[in-house]
Amino acid sequence: DVQEKLHEEISSAVEAVGGGRLSAEALSKSNAPYLHALVRETHRLTPTGAINLSKTVDVDGLEIHGRTMKEGDVVVLEGYSVGMDPELVDEPHQFRPERWLQAAVDSRKGTLSEVIDHPFLNGPFSQGARKCPGSRVAMNEIHIFLSQLVLDWKMSTAVTSLKDITYQQHTTIEANLPAIEFEARR
């Protein structure tokens, strides 16, 4: 179960390198890879918005993944459909954080599926000069909040499939979340 794997990883990291407390080192990717994979999988399945990046090709003969572009063609990078493409992602409607662990990423190298590992598809904050300046703070807060939540509470819901969760789009894409039961761990 995903929640128990995460609880075990965070508990172990907190004891082993955090001195019994949540710390930056305990929540680092090297000490909490499943936490980072879980957040990445969440971003794949629930993007903040239907935002894309488009660029106009400025040279003839540009080749991208075996397709030759002409000058003036428009190339669009949009993460949700790529992350849900069954030709690129095994069982895209399943929540599987393991797909983002290093061994899985390494196994995609040199295949068509390696496109899902592109930095522009790595999260909701963009990349390069236009990357959200608050992205590091936001990711740290996500890791801390989620870790503390999982350490303190065991959560359950009646929902058994991601297909049971509906979404609506306002300024961002929002999930209509099901009721969640919380049971104290301590």
Side-chain angles (χ1 to χ4, degrees):
D1 160 69
V2 170
Q3 187 177 170
E4 292 309 313
K5 283 183 191 177
L6 182 61
H7 182 265
E8 177 58 35
E9 177 181 85
I10 299 301
S11 297
S12 296
V14 164
E15 289 306 315
V17 297
R21 299 182 55 136
L22 282 178
S23 67
E25 187 179 0
L27 300 182
S28 69
K29 194 170 183 178
S30 60
N31 290 314
Y34 196 75
L35 170 66
H36 289 258
L38 184 138
V39 171
R40 173 66 182 94
E41 180 72 343
T42 302
H43 287 155
R44 179 187 72 83
L45 287 167
T46 56
T48 55
I51 300 170
N52 63 50
L53 170 72
S54 62
K55 296 289 182 185
T56 303
V57 176
D58 60 1
V59 296
D60 263 336
L62 176 67
E63 186 175 317
I64 300 174
H65 289 286
R67 295 178 190 221
T68 304
M69 305 296 202
K70 301 180 301 222
E71 184 176 355
D73 284 349
V74 177
V75 177
V76 176
L77 180 63
E78 178 273 312
Y80 182 73
S81 61
V82 172
M84 296 304 287
D85 185 341
E87 291 186 25
L88 302 174
V89 179
D90 292 334
E91 301 180 279
H93 292 284
Q94 297 293 315
F95 187 81
R96 290 187 23 219
E98 295 80 7
R99 72 177 92 239
W100 304 109
L101 296 176
Q102 194 59 51
V105 171
D106 290 345
S107 73
R108 287 191 291 270
K109 294 219 187 293
T111 71
L112 186 60
S113 292
E114 80 176 329
V115 72
I116 67 173
D117 300 313
H118 191 281
F120 279 108
L121 295 172
N122 199 20
F125 302 108
S126 190
Q127 291 293 322
R130 291 177 180 84
K131 183 174 184 172
C132 173
S135 62
R136 287 186 181 172
V137 171
M139 289 303 292
N140 285 334
E141 286 186 1
I142 289 167
H143 293 145
I144 292 165
F145 176 77
L146 183 58
S147 296
Q148 191 67 64
L149 189 67
V150 168
L151 285 172
D152 293 344
W153 302 94
K154 182 178 175 108
M155 295 156 280
S156 59
T157 180
V159 171
T160 58
S161 170
L162 292 173
K163 292 180 181 182
D164 295 336
I165 299 174
T166 60
Y167 296 86
Q168 53 186 317
Q169 184 167 355
H170 298 288
T171 303
T172 60
I173 295 175
E174 299 172 16
N176 296 315
L177 296 175
I180 300 172
E181 299 288 327
F182 290 84
E183 177 186 333
R185 289 190 185 266
R186 297 176 191 169

